Amino acid sequence: MIDVSNLTKHYGPVTAIRDVSFSVAPGEIVGFLGPNGAGKSTTMRILSCFLPATSGTARVAGYDVFKDSMEVRRRIGYLPENVPLYGEMRVAPYLDFVAEVKGVPRAERTRRVAEAMERCLVTEVQHRLIATLSKGYRQRVGLAQAIVNDPHVLILDEPTIGLDPRQITEIRSLIKSLAGDHTVILSTHILPEVSMLCGGVIIINRGSVVAQGTIDRLVDEFFPTSRVLVQVAVPAAAVREGLAAVPGVVAVHEQGVPGDGTWLVESPRGRDLRGEIFQLAAQRKWPLVELRRVGATLEEVFIRIVAGEDTAAPGPGRDGEGAA
Amino acid sequence: MKVWPIFKKEMRLYFTSPVAWVVLAVFLAIMGFFFWSIFDYFGRLSMQAAMQPMMGRDLNVTDGVMRPLFSNFSVILLLITPLLTMRLFSEERRSGTIELLLTYPVRDGAVLVGKYLAALALYGVMLALTLLYPAIVLYFARLEWGPLATGYLGLLLLGGTFLAVGILASSVTENQIIASITAFGILLALWIMGWAAESVGGTWGRVISSVSILEHFDTFSRGILDTKDVVYYLNAIALALFLTLRSLEARRWKG
Ligand SMILES: Nc1ncnc2c1ncn2[C@@H]1O[C@H](COP(=O)(O)OP(=O)(O)OP(=O)(O)O)[C@@H](O)[C@H]1O
Ligand SMILES: [Mg+2]
C-alpha cells in the first residue's frame, strides 16, 4: 500500500532524510519512530504529496506521489504534526468543506461528516469556533478531517499528542478500529502506544531507516539474550564475580544505583538461569531480595538502536569515519 | 475543477472576520463623500454657467462629474484592494493550513481561482453598493448611461487587476502586513509610470504609458469602450495569476 524507495530530501543545505526505503502492507498499522529531528514529519509530508522529494520514489495506494499526486490525494487522509485548522470556522461547516473538497458526493456529505464527528468524539462541539477549542479537541477535529472521506491510507503525524489519558484511549481504539480496511502509518514518541496499536515499526534516526519489522522480531534482533534481574543485600565485588562464574552467563551488568546490589544477568536465549542463581545465593548465604526474568520492551530496543547508531555509525556528513 | 468549495470557504472566512466589514464600510463612506463633493462642485459650477452663457457650452455631466469621480475611485481602490487580498495565501501559510489544503485532491490552480473569484466577488458587491450614489443623482438630474456603464466596467477590470497583483503578493510571504504593503508598492509603481511617461516622452514614453495601469482606465471613464484596454487588463490579471501559481509551486519545493 505504501512503497518508499531511496527517498532523499534536502532542505537547502540540510539533509532531512537520506535513502529511506520501507513498505507497508495493506490493512497494516505501522508505527514510525525516531528521535526529534529524525525526519519522520518530512517523510510523511512527502507521502501526503505536500513536499516533493529531492530524489527517490514513493508510491501510495499504487500511485506515485509525484506523478499521480491527484490519485494519491484522493485516497489518503493526512493529519499534520501541528494540526493546522481554520480557527474562524465552526467545526461542522469546516468538516463539510473538507468533505466537499475531497470529493464526497453531496448526497452523502451530511452523513459522512456526522459519522466522522461521532467517531472522533467531536459531535458535542460541532457548533463551536475551532479557535475556541482546547488542544485535545483540535486534535480530534484534525483526525475527523483526515477520515471524513473514508480514505484507504491514513498518514497521522503524532495523532495522540496533547490528549488526556481517557481521550488517548478513545483515539487509540478509533485508530485500532481502522485497521483491516485501512492502512495506517503513524508517528509517535509514546512507545507503549506502538506496542498496543501497531503490527510493525519503522525506526528512523538522523534521516535513515535503522530498523524495521514486527516488534517481536526487533526485540529478538537487538536483545539476543535472556535476562534475569538479581538483587542481593551484600557488597558488590564478590557478587559480580560469583554471578559471572555461573555456567551459561554471558554478561553481568550493574543496575540502578551502584552499590545497591542489583544486577542484570544475561544468558543465551531460552536458557533460564534462575535456578542456578538461587543455588549460588543459597550456598554463599547471600540474602536474595529479588530474582526475576526481564523481557525487553520496545523502549529498550529503541534506545539501544538509536544509542548504538549514535556511537557506532557515522552521522550525516561524517561518512568517511565509519570505515576508519 | 473544485473551485466552488474553495470559493465558498473564502467567502465564509471573509465575512466571519471583521476586515471585510470594515473595508466595506470605509469604502462606501469614502465613495459617498467623493460623490457628494463632486456633485456639489458641479452643481455650483453649472449655476455660474447659467449666469454666464459663454461658459456653459463646455459643461457636461460626463466630463464634469464622471471622469473626476472615477479617477477618485481608482485612487481609493489602490489603497483598499490590498486589504482584501492580503489574507488569502499569507494566512494559510502562517497558520500552516496550506499544508492540508495542498494535500486535498484539488489543483493549485483551482485553489488560486477559487480564492481570486472570492476576492473579486466581494469587490463586486462593494462596487454594486456604490451604484446607490448614481441612483440618488438620477432622482435629481439626468445621467448619461454610457459613461456610467463603461466606467463601472473599467472599475471592475481595474479592481480585478489590483486584486490579482494583491494575491500574488500574498503568495510570497506569510505576513499579511508585508503582503498588503508589497501589493500597494507594486500598484503604486505601475501607477507612477504614467507620470514618468509624460516626462520621458517619445517612443519610451509611449511604451511606459502602455504599461501604466491607470492610463488604460481613462478611456473607460470617458465613456469609450476600447478592446485594447480591456485586453490590457485581462492580460495583466492572467499574468499576475500565472506568477502566483509559479510562486506557489516554488514554495512547495522549498518546503
Ligand atoms: N522547512 C524546513 N527547512 C529546513 N530544515 C527543515 C525544515 N523542516 C525540517 N527541517 C529539518 O529536517 C530534519 C527532519 O525534521 P522532521 O521535522 O522531519 O523531524 P521529525 O522526525 O518529525 O522530528 P520531531 O520528532 O521533532 O517531530 C530536522 O533536522 C529539521 O531541522
Ligand atoms: Mg515531526
Side-chain angles (χ1 to χ4, degrees):
Chain A
M1 214 49 165
I2 302 177
D3 280 295
V4 173
S5 60
N6 309 103
L7 214 55
T8 299
K9 173 73 190 176
H10 303 290
Y11 290 109
V14 182
T15 304
I17 55 170
R18 182 149 35 107
D19 236 359
V20 165
S21 303
F22 60 83
S23 67
V24 180
E28 211 183 346
I29 301 186
V30 160
F32 199 38
L33 313 178
N36 291 131
K40 302 181 295 295
S41 300
T42 303
T43 310
M44 291 182 138
R45 285 170 147 194
I46 294 170
L47 289 179
S48 62
C49 311
F50 178 63
L51 283 183
T54 310
S55 66
T57 57
R59 297 175 76 79
V60 175
Y63 295 95
D64 188 283
V65 292
F66 188 66
K67 293 195 207 86
D68 291 315
S69 141
M70 279 301 143
E71 296 300 325
V72 173
R73 295 194 214 175
R74 267 190 260 281
R75 290 166 176 79
I76 59 166
Y78 174 43
L79 176 66
E81 187 168 26
N82 42 8
V83 199
L85 305 169
Y86 299 103
E88 311 95 319
M89 282 175 94
R90 290 173 199 280
V91 174
Y94 168 67
L95 292 174
D96 189 70
F97 156 70
V98 175
E100 190 174 359
V101 174
K102 286 187 170 187
V104 176
R106 170 183 282 276
E108 287 176 45
R109 218 150 63 216
T110 322
R111 184 178 57 80
R112 286 281 189 81
V113 168
E115 242 172 51
M117 288 196 297
E118 209 159 295
R119 292 185 87 166
C120 299
L121 311 158
V122 292
T123 312
E124 73 269 25
V125 295
Q126 60 176 302
H127 302 300
R128 293 258 300 271
L129 278 180
I130 293 174
T132 67
L133 296 178
S134 68
K135 166 91 178 106
Y137 273 95
R138 288 172 54 89
Q139 192 80 26
R140 295 196 245 168
V141 173
L143 210 53
Q145 67 78 33
I147 66 166
V148 73
N149 57 331
D150 202 19
H152 296 314
V153 178
L154 282 162
I155 300 168
L156 309 174
D157 204 348
E158 306 195 17
T160 55
I161 193 169
L163 298 179
D164 72 38
R166 204 198 58 204
Q167 293 172 357
I168 288 188
T169 331
E170 281 163 351
I171 293 301
R172 278 181 196 159
S173 59
L174 164 68
I175 294 173
K176 194 139 202 166
S177 75
L178 295 170
D181 36 323
H182 299 77
T183 307
V184 183
I185 177 164
L186 66 94
S187 77
T188 178
H189 290 294
I190 310 171
L191 297 174
E193 181 166 292
V194 178
S195 320
M196 241 174 277
L197 288 175
C198 306
V201 295
I202 296 162
I203 300 179
I204 181 172
N205 189 27
R206 299 202 203 161
S208 307
V209 173
V210 291
Q212 57 181 311
T214 62
I215 295 172
D216 291 341
R217 222 209 80 222
L218 291 184
V219 170
D220 282 2
E221 183 178 328
F222 287 89
F223 289 89
T225 58
S226 294
R227 298 184 302 164
V228 172
L229 186 98
V230 185
Q231 191 177 4
V232 290
V234 292
V239 179
R240 178 190 280 272
E241 281 158 27
L243 289 173
V246 173
V249 168
V250 179
V252 179
H253 313 278
E254 189 160 24
Q255 287 288 102
V257 192
D260 184 28
T262 311
W263 304 90
L264 194 70
V265 180
E266 291 185 45
S267 61
R269 177 174 300 283
R271 179 130 179 227
D272 188 353
L273 292 180
R274 281 178 299 176
E276 285 92 327
I277 292 172
F278 176 79
Q279 295 288 353
L280 175 75
Q283 263 174 27
R284 307 257 181 116
K285 299 209 163 46
W286 291 341
L288 193 60
V289 184
E290 193 175 5
L291 179 64
R292 64 180 163 90
R293 270 180 32 186
V294 287
T297 59
L298 187 57
E299 264 97 341
E300 287 173 291
V301 173
F302 179 83
I303 287 165
R304 182 165 285 195
I305 292 173
V306 169
E309 269 282 309
D310 287 347
T311 51
R318 299 196 286 126
D319 293 32
E321 291 174 7
Chain B
M1 289 285 264
K2 295 216 192 73
V3 172
W4 178 237
I6 306 283
F7 174 84
K8 274 195 300 185
K9 185 211 92 180
E10 293 303 334
M11 283 315 255
R12 196 191 285 275
L13 288 181
Y14 265 132
F15 286 104
T16 51
S17 87
V19 177
W21 294 108
V22 172
V23 169
L24 195 75
V26 170
F27 181 71
L28 285 181
I30 295 176
M31 294 295 224
F33 172 75
F34 278 137
F35 228 97
W36 172 79
S37 62
I38 283 174
F39 262 96
D40 190 49
Y41 172 72
F42 184 72
R44 271 182 281 132
L45 216 60
S46 47
M47 206 110 82
Q48 285 174 10
M51 285 180 259
Q52 293 163 293
M54 291 301 285
M55 208 180 120
R57 242 171 278 150
D58 312 330
L59 271 179
N60 67 61
V61 180
T62 309
D63 283 343
V65 180
M66 289 308 180
R67 277 184 71 189
L69 189 67
F70 281 125
S71 126
N72 281 338
F73 273 16
S74 60
V75 182
I76 302 304
L77 283 191
L78 188 74
L79 297 169
I80 257 173
T81 49
L83 299 177
L84 296 181
T85 49
M86 63 182 185
R87 209 202 73 244
L88 291 173
F89 280 106
S90 302
E91 182 59 17
E92 298 254 15
R93 282 160 43 90
R94 192 198 56 77
S95 69
T97 47
I98 193 122
E99 182 167 354
L100 270 178
L101 190 61
L102 296 187
T103 57
Y104 292 149
V106 49
R107 293 188 188 285
D108 294 4
V111 172
L112 172 62
V113 171
K115 282 173 180 284
Y116 177 69
L117 288 182
L120 200 62
L122 179 62
Y123 169 64
V125 169
M126 286 169 47
L127 214 53
L129 288 175
T130 65
L131 282 171
L132 188 66
Y133 306 128
I136 293 171
V137 173
L138 201 61
Y139 189 75
F140 298 106
R142 194 178 54 85
L143 209 77
E144 288 173 67
W145 290 106
L148 190 69
T150 55
Y152 267 88
L153 178 66
L155 280 181
L156 197 64
L157 287 168
L158 184 70
T161 308
F162 286 4
L163 292 172
V165 172
I167 211 166
L168 171 61
S170 165
S171 75
V172 299
T173 167
E174 47 189 65
N175 184 320
Q176 292 192 45
I177 309 292
I178 293 177
S180 67
I181 291 173
T182 307
F184 179 70
I186 297 173
L187 295 175
L188 201 62
L190 285 173
W191 190 354
I192 287 171
M193 269 186 195
W195 306 343
E198 279 169 31
S199 51
V200 171
T203 321
W204 279 110
R206 275 199 301 281
V207 169
I208 295 172
S209 95
S210 74
V211 179
S212 161
I213 214 160
L214 271 185
E215 210 65 27
H216 296 269
F217 182 63
D218 195 49
T219 46
F220 287 104
S221 59
R222 278 186 288 151
I224 302 162
L225 190 62
D226 188 340
T227 41
K228 178 170 88 348
D229 301 316
V230 175
V231 167
Y232 167 84
Y233 285 121
L234 293 180
N235 272 336
I237 291 170
L239 177 66
L241 294 183
F242 172 75
L243 291 176
T244 311
L245 210 54
R246 298 313 301 264
S247 127
L248 288 178
E249 206 174 302
R251 292 280 146 184
R252 243 183 220 262
W253 281 97
K254 266 174 75 181

